[in-house]
Amino acid sequence: MVNERKCPACAKWTDGHKTHCTHCGALTDPALIAEEIRKEREEEREAYMFINESKAIKKLKGLKESDKTFHRIIFYIADTLFTIYMAILSFIVWLIALVSG
Ligand SMILES: [Zn+2]
């Protein structure tokens, strides 16, 4: 036969025109296998990011993307307060540096 592929799962030669092994049913099409691997990696990456995202960040994101206007308002108020808090903090740090210098 001209067009045959070796199955990566069972190592038997199978019809190259088919995307799956005729013996065990595993994928033999290189393009489809590459696509499968790419999808798996994407899923792994998403799972990894999901684990690493802390509960506080998830809550904040939930507020920002909430359908309720009230939740979004709370998010923007908290966001603004945090910005002001950081501004005051950096001003104090600047003052300390000014006095000691
Ligand atoms: Zn096979």
Side-chain angles (χ1 to χ4, degrees):
M1 288 214 209
V2 184
N3 195 356
E4 281 200 321
R5 281 193 188 120
K6 202 173 189 180
C7 171
C10 66
K12 283 177 186 163
W13 289 95
T14 181
D15 189 352
H17 295 292
K18 288 175 181 156
T19 55
H20 290 76
C21 173
T22 48
H23 304 286
C24 69
L27 267 179
T28 53
D29 192 327
L32 285 177
I33 290 171
E35 177 74 4
E36 194 99 313
I37 290 168
R38 196 193 60 77
K39 268 186 197 164
E40 264 172 34
R41 284 199 185 139
E42 183 85 355
E43 274 167 22
E44 270 171 29
R45 198 182 61 84
E46 270 168 23
Y48 181 76
M49 281 177 76
F50 185 75
I51 290 164
N52 278 288
E53 210 168 69
S54 73
K55 278 183 182 176
I57 288 170
K58 265 186 227 161
K59 253 189 181 172
L60 272 176
K61 271 193 176 174
L63 279 178
K64 194 183 182 183
E65 285 152 16
S66 175
D67 295 329
K68 290 174 185 159
T69 316
F70 178 67
H71 287 170
R72 283 207 302 271
I73 289 169
I74 286 179
F75 172 80
Y76 286 113
I77 289 171
D79 199 43
T80 308
L81 284 178
F82 184 72
T83 307
I84 292 167
Y85 171 73
M86 288 313 283
I88 291 168
L89 218 68
S90 41
F91 175 71
I92 290 167
V93 169
W94 175 78
L95 265 185
I96 291 166
L98 194 73
V99 169
S100 62

